[in-house]
Amino acid sequence: MSTPPRLGKDVDKREGIARRIAQELRDGYYVNLGIGLPTLVANCCPHGMEVILQSENGMLGVGAWPYEGEEDPDLINAGKETVTEIPGTSYFSSADSFGMIRGGHVDLTVLGAMEVDAHGNVANWMIPGKVVKGMGGAMDLVAGARRVIIAMEHTTKNGEPKILNDCTLPLTGVGVVDTIVTEMAYIRVTKEGLVLEEVAKGLTADDVQKATQPKLIVSPTLKEM
């Protein structure tokens, strides 16, 4: 059987992030996956666990990506990517979908980001001077979801930190991030600062700190991701 599309060249790095986030899922959770990297989590849901994935364009019961040749152009997520449906999938208006989000009925949302900072602020919707399609549902999700996990690569393509002391880009939400998962680390956002809980295999806490602007608090129970 062929591999699902859209994995790209960084499959190991990106799937590693998605697999770690999938460990945060629990039976009965209603989960929204943001555009881009977060959609990979749909392929990593633990077998036997009932997790209902919601898409803000009006789909409740999003399945994994379809295999090549099995795509249905009428089944798409908020990022216009083809998806599958699970038994019992329901469809409704975008207004109802956002009512679910704003009503606090989403247990967990996984979003990408351009920047996250030590205060739990996140910037993920625009870069000044560049054309953007719109903010999408991110601002509603960070305000309405019970828990917010950021899934992103640890640094920019130029090797600059994306986890900063203070975000420099227009904010999506203030003090909303609970957890940051990158290819390098699992970091928990607390009132005291960013707590480094896990590091990727082959890396040390010092390696993660060198790629991170804020001073990290190393957990006494630091372990491998």
Side-chain angles (χ1 to χ4, degrees):
M1 186 176 287
S2 59
T3 302
R6 299 185 294 271
L7 292 181
K9 296 180 180 179
D10 294 327
V11 56
D12 292 336
K13 180 191 297 185
R14 293 163 62 84
E15 280 221 324
I17 296 171
R19 289 185 186 281
R20 177 60 189 86
I21 292 172
Q23 295 178 33
E24 304 297 297
L25 303 178
R26 297 292 181 270
D27 254 324
Y29 265 20
Y30 288 88
V31 178
N32 181 287
L33 303 178
I35 295 170
L37 193 162
T39 60
L40 282 171
V41 177
N43 296 334
C44 305
C45 293
H47 292 294
M49 183 180 290
E50 185 179 73
V51 175
I52 309 299
L53 301 181
Q54 187 252 19
S55 183
E56 57 262 38
N57 59 324
M59 184 175 179
L60 187 64
V62 179
W65 286 348
Y67 287 92
E68 187 175 353
E70 299 178 2
E71 302 94 338
D72 182 341
D74 290 326
L75 294 181
I76 60 171
N77 60 21
K80 309 299 187 293
E81 298 171 317
T82 52
V83 294
T84 59
E85 58 183 2
I86 64 172
T89 295
S90 60
Y91 304 92
F92 34 85
S93 71
S94 179
D96 288 333
S97 185
F98 275 91
M100 179 179 177
I101 294 169
R102 294 167 184 166
H105 304 293
V106 173
D107 296 290
L108 171 68
T109 185
V110 183
L111 299 172
M114 301 168 195
E115 295 178 348
V116 184
D117 69 25
H119 314 290
N121 302 328
V122 58
N124 78 344
W125 76 281
M126 75 167 298
I127 297 175
K130 292 193 175 183
V131 177
V132 294
K133 296 180 180 179
M135 65 186 71
M139 291 185 180
D140 292 277
L141 285 163
V142 297
R146 296 172 185 169
R147 185 179 175 199
V148 177
I149 296 179
I150 296 301
M152 67 177 191
E153 294 184 17
H154 207 94
T155 61
T156 67
K157 293 179 180 179
N158 297 324
E160 296 298 320
K162 293 174 69 174
I163 303 176
L164 309 174
N165 291 318
D166 296 284
C167 289
T168 62
L169 295 173
L171 296 180
T172 306
V174 176
V176 294
V177 178
D178 298 288
T179 311
I180 305 166
V181 181
T182 74
E183 78 281 8
M184 297 182 71
Y186 176 100
I187 298 170
R188 187 164 49 89
V189 181
T190 72
K191 292 180 180 179
E192 291 72 34
L194 302 181
V195 180
L196 179 61
E197 300 274 3
E198 302 174 20
V199 295
K201 184 177 181 179
L203 297 182
T204 65
D206 286 341
D207 293 328
V208 178
Q209 182 62 76
K210 289 175 183 176
T212 310
Q213 196 175 80
K215 177 65 177 176
L216 296 171
I217 301 169
V218 179
S219 170
T221 58
L222 182 69
K223 61 181 183 179
E224 184 178 286
M225 284 177 69

PDB file of all heavy atoms in Angstrom, residues 110-139:
ATOM      1  N   VAL A 110      -4.228  21.492  18.647  1.00  0.00           N
ATOM      2  CA  VAL A 110      -2.810  21.434  18.285  1.00  0.00           C
ATOM      3  C   VAL A 110      -2.606  22.419  17.143  1.00  0.00           C
ATOM      4  O   VAL A 110      -3.233  22.288  16.084  1.00  0.00           O
ATOM      5  CB  VAL A 110      -2.393  20.017  17.840  1.00  0.00           C
ATOM      6  CG1 VAL A 110      -0.892  19.983  17.551  1.00  0.00           C
ATOM      7  CG2 VAL A 110      -2.753  18.982  18.900  1.00  0.00           C
ATOM      8  N   LEU A 111      -1.745  23.404  17.358  1.00  0.00           N
ATOM      9  CA  LEU A 111      -1.539  24.458  16.369  1.00  0.00           C
ATOM     10  C   LEU A 111      -0.065  24.618  16.029  1.00  0.00           C
ATOM     11  O   LEU A 111       0.801  24.380  16.875  1.00  0.00           O
ATOM     12  CB  LEU A 111      -2.063  25.793  16.916  1.00  0.00           C
ATOM     13  CG  LEU A 111      -3.557  25.866  17.247  1.00  0.00           C
ATOM     14  CD1 LEU A 111      -3.871  27.176  17.962  1.00  0.00           C
ATOM     15  CD2 LEU A 111      -4.402  25.731  15.983  1.00  0.00           C
ATOM     16  N   GLY A 112       0.205  25.027  14.814  1.00  0.00           N
ATOM     17  CA  GLY A 112       1.557  25.409  14.437  1.00  0.00           C
ATOM     18  C   GLY A 112       1.832  26.823  14.910  1.00  0.00           C
ATOM     19  O   GLY A 112       0.927  27.525  15.361  1.00  0.00           O
ATOM     20  N   ALA A 113       3.083  27.265  14.797  1.00  0.00           N
ATOM     21  CA  ALA A 113       3.417  28.626  15.231  1.00  0.00           C
ATOM     22  C   ALA A 113       4.682  29.114  14.548  1.00  0.00           C
ATOM     23  O   ALA A 113       5.562  28.329  14.195  1.00  0.00           O
ATOM     24  CB  ALA A 113       3.594  28.681  16.746  1.00  0.00           C
ATOM     25  N   MET A 114       4.739  30.429  14.379  1.00  0.00           N
ATOM     26  CA  MET A 114       5.967  31.078  13.917  1.00  0.00           C
ATOM     27  C   MET A 114       6.843  31.437  15.117  1.00  0.00           C
ATOM     28  O   MET A 114       8.061  31.367  15.056  1.00  0.00           O
ATOM     29  CB  MET A 114       5.626  32.339  13.128  1.00  0.00           C
ATOM     30  CG  MET A 114       4.752  32.085  11.912  1.00  0.00           C
ATOM     31  SD  MET A 114       4.135  33.646  11.254  1.00  0.00           S
ATOM     32  CE  MET A 114       2.831  33.058  10.174  1.00  0.00           C
ATOM     33  N   GLU A 115       6.157  31.827  16.212  1.00  0.00           N
ATOM     34  CA  GLU A 115       6.861  32.193  17.443  1.00  0.00           C
ATOM     35  C   GLU A 115       6.019  31.809  18.657  1.00  0.00           C
ATOM     36  O   GLU A 115       4.794  31.889  18.624  1.00  0.00           O
ATOM     37  CB  GLU A 115       7.125  33.704  17.509  1.00  0.00           C
ATOM     38  CG  GLU A 115       8.059  34.247  16.461  1.00  0.00           C
ATOM     39  CD  GLU A 115       8.227  35.764  16.561  1.00  0.00           C
ATOM     40  OE1 GLU A 115       7.440  36.414  17.291  1.00  0.00           O
ATOM     41  OE2 GLU A 115       9.133  36.299  15.899  1.00  0.00           O
ATOM     42  N   VAL A 116       6.694  31.401  19.726  1.00  0.00           N
ATOM     43  CA  VAL A 116       6.076  31.214  21.039  1.00  0.00           C
ATOM     44  C   VAL A 116       7.027  31.852  22.035  1.00  0.00           C
ATOM     45  O   VAL A 116       8.243  31.859  21.826  1.00  0.00           O
ATOM     46  CB  VAL A 116       5.895  29.721  21.388  1.00  0.00           C
ATOM     47  CG1 VAL A 116       5.168  29.562  22.715  1.00  0.00           C
ATOM     48  CG2 VAL A 116       5.140  29.004  20.304  1.00  0.00           C
ATOM     49  N   ASP A 117       6.497  32.403  23.132  1.00  0.00           N
ATOM     50  CA  ASP A 117       7.428  33.002  24.085  1.00  0.00           C
ATOM     51  C   ASP A 117       7.266  32.429  25.492  1.00  0.00           C
ATOM     52  O   ASP A 117       6.417  31.565  25.750  1.00  0.00           O
ATOM     53  CB  ASP A 117       7.344  34.534  24.074  1.00  0.00           C
ATOM     54  CG  ASP A 117       6.046  35.102  24.627  1.00  0.00           C
ATOM     55  OD1 ASP A 117       5.384  34.442  25.441  1.00  0.00           O
ATOM     56  OD2 ASP A 117       5.697  36.242  24.243  1.00  0.00           O
ATOM     57  N   ALA A 118       8.109  32.922  26.387  1.00  0.00           N
ATOM     58  CA  ALA A 118       8.194  32.404  27.748  1.00  0.00           C
ATOM     59  C   ALA A 118       6.929  32.641  28.558  1.00  0.00           C
ATOM     60  O   ALA A 118       6.738  32.033  29.614  1.00  0.00           O
ATOM     61  CB  ALA A 118       9.387  33.026  28.465  1.00  0.00           C
ATOM     62  N   HIS A 119       6.051  33.521  28.078  1.00  0.00           N
ATOM     63  CA  HIS A 119       4.819  33.858  28.791  1.00  0.00           C
ATOM     64  C   HIS A 119       3.617  33.061  28.286  1.00  0.00           C
ATOM     65  O   HIS A 119       2.494  33.292  28.727  1.00  0.00           O
ATOM     66  CB  HIS A 119       4.533  35.355  28.658  1.00  0.00           C
ATOM     67  CG  HIS A 119       5.739  36.210  28.896  1.00  0.00           C
ATOM     68  ND1 HIS A 119       6.313  36.360  30.146  1.00  0.00           N
ATOM     69  CD2 HIS A 119       6.506  36.935  28.038  1.00  0.00           C
ATOM     70  CE1 HIS A 119       7.372  37.151  30.047  1.00  0.00           C
ATOM     71  NE2 HIS A 119       7.508  37.513  28.779  1.00  0.00           N
ATOM     72  N   GLY A 120       3.859  32.151  27.334  1.00  0.00           N
ATOM     73  CA  GLY A 120       2.759  31.383  26.767  1.00  0.00           C
ATOM     74  C   GLY A 120       2.017  32.114  25.678  1.00  0.00           C
ATOM     75  O   GLY A 120       0.913  31.724  25.283  1.00  0.00           O
ATOM     76  N   ASN A 121       2.609  33.208  25.172  1.00  0.00           N
ATOM     77  CA  ASN A 121       2.018  33.922  24.039  1.00  0.00           C
ATOM     78  C   ASN A 121       2.392  33.207  22.744  1.00  0.00           C
ATOM     79  O   ASN A 121       3.471  32.606  22.651  1.00  0.00           O
ATOM     80  CB  ASN A 121       2.520  35.367  23.979  1.00  0.00           C
ATOM     81  CG  ASN A 121       2.226  36.134  25.253  1.00  0.00           C
ATOM     82  OD1 ASN A 121       1.229  35.892  25.920  1.00  0.00           O
ATOM     83  ND2 ASN A 121       3.106  37.067  25.600  1.00  0.00           N
ATOM     84  N   VAL A 122       1.528  33.294  21.744  1.00  0.00           N
ATOM     85  CA  VAL A 122       1.806  32.632  20.472  1.00  0.00           C
ATOM     86  C   VAL A 122       1.485  33.561  19.310  1.00  0.00           C
ATOM     87  O   VAL A 122       0.518  34.324  19.342  1.00  0.00           O
ATOM     88  CB  VAL A 122       1.014  31.312  20.338  1.00  0.00           C
ATOM     89  CG1 VAL A 122      -0.494  31.561  20.459  1.00  0.00           C
ATOM     90  CG2 VAL A 122       1.326  30.599  19.031  1.00  0.00           C
ATOM     91  N   ALA A 123       2.323  33.502  18.287  1.00  0.00           N
ATOM     92  CA  ALA A 123       2.114  34.246  17.038  1.00  0.00           C
ATOM     93  C   ALA A 123       2.152  33.229  15.904  1.00  0.00           C
ATOM     94  O   ALA A 123       3.181  32.592  15.675  1.00  0.00           O
ATOM     95  CB  ALA A 123       3.209  35.297  16.854  1.00  0.00           C
ATOM     96  N   ASN A 124       1.031  33.079  15.218  1.00  0.00           N
ATOM     97  CA  ASN A 124       1.018  32.056  14.163  1.00  0.00           C
ATOM     98  C   ASN A 124       0.161  32.415  12.951  1.00  0.00           C
ATOM     99  O   ASN A 124      -0.154  31.557  12.147  1.00  0.00           O
ATOM    100  CB  ASN A 124       0.563  30.704  14.735  1.00  0.00           C
ATOM    101  CG  ASN A 124      -0.931  30.598  14.948  1.00  0.00           C
ATOM    102  OD1 ASN A 124      -1.652  31.594  14.953  1.00  0.00           O
ATOM    103  ND2 ASN A 124      -1.419  29.384  15.132  1.00  0.00           N
ATOM    104  N   TRP A 125      -0.221  33.696  12.835  1.00  0.00           N
ATOM    105  CA  TRP A 125      -1.147  33.957  11.736  1.00  0.00           C
ATOM    106  C   TRP A 125      -0.669  34.938  10.681  1.00  0.00           C
ATOM    107  O   TRP A 125      -1.167  34.927   9.556  1.00  0.00           O
ATOM    108  CB  TRP A 125      -2.505  34.405  12.281  1.00  0.00           C
ATOM    109  CG  TRP A 125      -2.578  35.816  12.790  1.00  0.00           C
ATOM    110  CD1 TRP A 125      -2.141  36.260  13.993  1.00  0.00           C
ATOM    111  CD2 TRP A 125      -3.135  36.941  12.110  1.00  0.00           C
ATOM    112  NE1 TRP A 125      -2.380  37.612  14.113  1.00  0.00           N
ATOM    113  CE2 TRP A 125      -3.001  38.051  12.972  1.00  0.00           C
ATOM    114  CE3 TRP A 125      -3.740  37.123  10.869  1.00  0.00           C
ATOM    115  CZ2 TRP A 125      -3.447  39.324  12.623  1.00  0.00           C
ATOM    116  CZ3 TRP A 125      -4.172  38.393  10.515  1.00  0.00           C
ATOM    117  CH2 TRP A 125      -4.033  39.473  11.390  1.00  0.00           C
ATOM    118  N   MET A 126       0.316  35.777  10.975  1.00  0.00           N
ATOM    119  CA  MET A 126       0.782  36.689   9.919  1.00  0.00           C
ATOM    120  C   MET A 126       2.176  37.216  10.193  1.00  0.00           C
ATOM    121  O   MET A 126       2.645  37.252  11.334  1.00  0.00           O
ATOM    122  CB  MET A 126      -0.173  37.868   9.756  1.00  0.00           C
ATOM    123  CG  MET A 126      -0.068  38.915  10.865  1.00  0.00           C
ATOM    124  SD  MET A 126      -0.925  40.462  10.451  1.00  0.00           S
ATOM    125  CE  MET A 126      -0.018  41.010   9.010  1.00  0.00           C
ATOM    126  N   ILE A 127       2.841  37.604   9.090  1.00  0.00           N
ATOM    127  CA  ILE A 127       4.109  38.325   9.144  1.00  0.00           C
ATOM    128  C   ILE A 127       3.864  39.666   8.471  1.00  0.00           C
ATOM    129  O   ILE A 127       3.435  39.703   7.306  1.00  0.00           O
ATOM    130  CB  ILE A 127       5.231  37.569   8.408  1.00  0.00           C
ATOM    131  CG1 ILE A 127       5.492  36.218   9.098  1.00  0.00           C
ATOM    132  CG2 ILE A 127       6.510  38.405   8.358  1.00  0.00           C
ATOM    133  CD1 ILE A 127       6.495  35.359   8.371  1.00  0.00           C
ATOM    134  N   PRO A 128       4.047  40.780   9.183  1.00  0.00           N
ATOM    135  CA  PRO A 128       3.779  42.100   8.592  1.00  0.00           C
ATOM    136  C   PRO A 128       4.486  42.281   7.250  1.00  0.00           C
ATOM    137  O   PRO A 128       5.657  41.931   7.096  1.00  0.00           O
ATOM    138  CB  PRO A 128       4.330  43.065   9.652  1.00  0.00           C
ATOM    139  CG  PRO A 128       4.192  42.313  10.937  1.00  0.00           C
ATOM    140  CD  PRO A 128       4.493  40.885  10.585  1.00  0.00           C
ATOM    141  N   GLY A 129       3.755  42.796   6.284  1.00  0.00           N
ATOM    142  CA  GLY A 129       4.322  43.032   4.964  1.00  0.00           C
ATOM    143  C   GLY A 129       4.113  41.891   3.994  1.00  0.00           C
ATOM    144  O   GLY A 129       4.358  42.039   2.800  1.00  0.00           O
ATOM    145  N   LYS A 130       3.662  40.734   4.500  1.00  0.00           N
ATOM    146  CA  LYS A 130       3.410  39.590   3.626  1.00  0.00           C
ATOM    147  C   LYS A 130       1.902  39.370   3.503  1.00  0.00           C
ATOM    148  O   LYS A 130       1.149  39.606   4.435  1.00  0.00           O
ATOM    149  CB  LYS A 130       4.084  38.331   4.166  1.00  0.00           C
ATOM    150  CG  LYS A 130       5.602  38.387   4.102  1.00  0.00           C
ATOM    151  CD  LYS A 130       6.218  37.021   4.345  1.00  0.00           C
ATOM    152  CE  LYS A 130       7.729  37.064   4.157  1.00  0.00           C
ATOM    153  NZ  LYS A 130       8.329  35.712   4.330  1.00  0.00           N
ATOM    154  N   VAL A 131       1.507  38.900   2.329  1.00  0.00           N
ATOM    155  CA  VAL A 131       0.099  38.661   2.068  1.00  0.00           C
ATOM    156  C   VAL A 131      -0.350  37.421   2.835  1.00  0.00           C
ATOM    157  O   VAL A 131       0.301  36.377   2.787  1.00  0.00           O
ATOM    158  CB  VAL A 131      -0.164  38.470   0.563  1.00  0.00           C
ATOM    159  CG1 VAL A 131      -1.639  38.140   0.313  1.00  0.00           C
ATOM    160  CG2 VAL A 131       0.227  39.723  -0.207  1.00  0.00           C
ATOM    161  N   VAL A 132      -1.452  37.527   3.558  1.00  0.00           N
ATOM    162  CA  VAL A 132      -2.010  36.379   4.277  1.00  0.00           C
ATOM    163  C   VAL A 132      -3.472  36.204   3.870  1.00  0.00           C
ATOM    164  O   VAL A 132      -4.162  37.169   3.534  1.00  0.00           O
ATOM    165  CB  VAL A 132      -1.921  36.563   5.811  1.00  0.00           C
ATOM    166  CG1 VAL A 132      -0.479  36.567   6.265  1.00  0.00           C
ATOM    167  CG2 VAL A 132      -2.619  37.841   6.254  1.00  0.00           C
ATOM    168  N   LYS A 133      -3.944  34.958   3.904  1.00  0.00           N
ATOM    169  CA  LYS A 133      -5.326  34.669   3.521  1.00  0.00           C
ATOM    170  C   LYS A 133      -6.302  35.056   4.617  1.00  0.00           C
ATOM    171  O   LYS A 133      -7.475  35.234   4.379  1.00  0.00           O
ATOM    172  CB  LYS A 133      -5.459  33.183   3.184  1.00  0.00           C
ATOM    173  CG  LYS A 133      -4.647  32.744   1.975  1.00  0.00           C
ATOM    174  CD  LYS A 133      -4.827  31.268   1.714  1.00  0.00           C
ATOM    175  CE  LYS A 133      -4.014  30.823   0.493  1.00  0.00           C
ATOM    176  NZ  LYS A 133      -4.158  29.370   0.239  1.00  0.00           N
ATOM    177  N   GLY A 134      -5.800  35.149   5.844  1.00  0.00           N
ATOM    178  CA  GLY A 134      -6.676  35.459   6.975  1.00  0.00           C
ATOM    179  C   GLY A 134      -6.195  34.699   8.200  1.00  0.00           C
ATOM    180  O   GLY A 134      -5.312  33.853   8.113  1.00  0.00           O
ATOM    181  N   MET A 135      -6.792  35.016   9.323  1.00  0.00           N
ATOM    182  CA  MET A 135      -6.335  34.406  10.571  1.00  0.00           C
ATOM    183  C   MET A 135      -6.908  33.016  10.793  1.00  0.00           C
ATOM    184  O   MET A 135      -6.470  32.294  11.685  1.00  0.00           O
ATOM    185  CB  MET A 135      -6.707  35.300  11.751  1.00  0.00           C
ATOM    186  CG  MET A 135      -8.203  35.461  11.983  1.00  0.00           C
ATOM    187  SD  MET A 135      -8.580  36.657  13.273  1.00  0.00           S
ATOM    188  CE  MET A 135      -8.140  38.195  12.483  1.00  0.00           C
ATOM    189  N   GLY A 136      -7.899  32.607  10.001  1.00  0.00           N
ATOM    190  CA  GLY A 136      -8.484  31.295  10.187  1.00  0.00           C
ATOM    191  C   GLY A 136      -9.155  31.192  11.547  1.00  0.00           C
ATOM    192  O   GLY A 136      -9.672  32.166  12.081  1.00  0.00           O
ATOM    193  N   GLY A 137      -9.132  29.997  12.120  1.00  0.00           N
ATOM    194  CA  GLY A 137      -9.802  29.791  13.401  1.00  0.00           C
ATOM    195  C   GLY A 137      -8.880  29.840  14.592  1.00  0.00           C
ATOM    196  O   GLY A 137      -9.311  29.568  15.725  1.00  0.00           O
ATOM    197  N   ALA A 138      -7.603  30.190  14.374  1.00  0.00           N
ATOM    198  CA  ALA A 138      -6.611  30.102  15.450  1.00  0.00           C
ATOM    199  C   ALA A 138      -6.969  30.937  16.673  1.00  0.00           C
ATOM    200  O   ALA A 138      -6.830  30.482  17.810  1.00  0.00           O
ATOM    201  CB  ALA A 138      -5.231  30.500  14.924  1.00  0.00           C
ATOM    202  N   MET A 139      -7.440  32.161  16.460  1.00  0.00           N
ATOM    203  CA  MET A 139      -7.740  33.027  17.598  1.00  0.00           C
ATOM    204  C   MET A 139      -8.904  32.485  18.427  1.00  0.00           C
ATOM    205  O   MET A 139      -8.903  32.603  19.652  1.00  0.00           O
ATOM    206  CB  MET A 139      -8.019  34.450  17.121  1.00  0.00           C
ATOM    207  CG  MET A 139      -6.787  35.134  16.588  1.00  0.00           C
ATOM    208  SD  MET A 139      -7.079  36.854  16.158  1.00  0.00           S
ATOM    209  CE  MET A 139      -5.453  37.339  15.588  1.00  0.00           C
TER     210      MET A 139
END
